[in-house]
Amino acid sequence: MSGFGPSCSRDRLIDFDAAQQSGRIVGGVFFAEQAVFNRTTQATRSAPRGFTLVELVLVIIIMGVVAAIAMPRFAQATARQQLSAAADRLVSDFEKAQHTARASSNQVAISFDVAGNSYTVTPASGSAYVVQLDESPYQVTIAKASFDGATTMSFNGYGIPSSAGAVVLESSTGSVVVNLASTGRATR
């Protein structure tokens, strides 16, 4: 061997003349780190990027299993929310009818059609409106509506109901009872 450079360690033997001819020795300093660095970066540049078909298929299968587990819970949560929204709407309509009766000093009637899953709010003056509970967004049924045996009740001009009663709303996840007290307060 012809010689060793000043920056060689004990565990490396480097041909100083060959290294100097290849340009890796400049001013007596050996640049082996740069050569190693260039080889590793070239190796990573040529490495394939992206996902294999097997990886993509596995991810799609896992997503399908998670979706299959989540769908029944999502459907139940949606049905519970629809039932809750229908009960809130009924309570709100009782309160609105009572307020309208007081404000106009006229009677406001609410009539329940159990078979048709709807109810109609009819003020003494103005137009009546129908709330269909078995259609979107509620999709619930009226199981029972009873106000002293009748399916119709009214608020007089003072906002006092003709009778107390209850309405039972049902969906696939359960039922909710909306009560109307003799004071006119509606609760669920």
Side-chain angles (χ1 to χ4, degrees), residues 79-95 112 119 131 133 137-142 167-171 174-179 186-188:
R80 281 192 305 271
Q81 192 276 334
Q82 289 171 331
L83 182 62
S84 179
D88 290 343
R89 171 71 189 261
L90 182 55
V91 168
S92 177
D93 281 341
F94 276 134
E95 291 170 352
F112 290 88
Y119 63 90
V131 177
L133 293 176
Y138 306 114
Q139 298 176 347
V140 299
T141 59
I142 300 174
V167 178
V168 180
L169 303 175
E170 289 183 343
S171 75
S175 63
V176 172
V177 178
V178 176
N179 293 305
T187 57
R188 43 176 293 224

Side-chain angles (χ1 to χ4, degrees), residues 62-77:
I62 290 170
M63 289 173 57
V65 168
V66 169
I69 292 169
M71 280 307 286
R73 289 182 176 258
F74 179 74
Q76 289 175 350

Side-chain angles (χ1 to χ4, degrees), residues 2 12 18 28 41 43 74 79 85 95 98-99 120 142 145 150 173:
S2 60
R12 277 195 223 168
T41 56
F74 179 74
E95 291 170 352
Q98 184 182 32
H99 177 74
T120 305
I142 300 174
T173 59

Side-chain angles (χ1 to χ4, degrees), residues 10-177:
R10 284 181 280 184
D11 55 342
R12 277 195 223 168
L13 296 176
I14 298 170
D15 185 1
F16 187 74
D17 292 332
Q20 192 171 15
Q21 288 175 358
S22 67
R24 287 186 283 177
I25 296 182
V26 177
V29 178
F30 181 65
F31 290 98
E33 292 80 18
Q34 184 178 7
V36 172
F37 177 72
N38 284 340
R39 270 187 257 138
T40 58
T41 56
Q42 287 173 355
T44 57
R45 279 191 213 140
S46 64
R49 294 187 178 164
F51 301 104
T52 65
L53 182 60
V54 173
E55 291 170 329
L56 290 174
V57 168
L58 284 174
V59 168
I60 290 171
I61 289 172
I62 290 170
M63 289 173 57
V65 168
V66 169
I69 292 169
M71 280 307 286
R73 289 182 176 258
F74 179 74
Q76 289 175 350
T78 301
R80 281 192 305 271
Q81 192 276 334
Q82 289 171 331
L83 182 62
S84 179
D88 290 343
R89 171 71 189 261
L90 182 55
V91 168
S92 177
D93 281 341
F94 276 134
E95 291 170 352
K96 181 180 178 185
Q98 184 182 32
H99 177 74
T100 302
R102 281 186 193 153
S104 66
S105 295
N106 287 317
Q107 178 177 324
V108 177
I110 300 178
S111 166
F112 290 88
D113 180 8
V114 176
N117 293 310
S118 65
Y119 63 90
T120 305
V121 180
T122 310
S125 60
S127 59
Y129 64 92
V130 177
V131 177
Q132 194 69 39
L133 293 176
D134 61 350
E135 295 177 359
S136 184
Y138 306 114
Q139 298 176 347
V140 299
T141 59
I142 300 174
K144 181 181 176 183
S146 179
F147 300 92
D148 287 339
T151 57
T152 300
M153 59 81 52
S154 62
F155 290 98
N156 66 17
Y158 297 106
I160 299 172
S162 58
S163 60
V167 178
V168 180
L169 303 175
E170 289 183 343
S171 75
S172 60
T173 59
S175 63
V176 172
V177 178

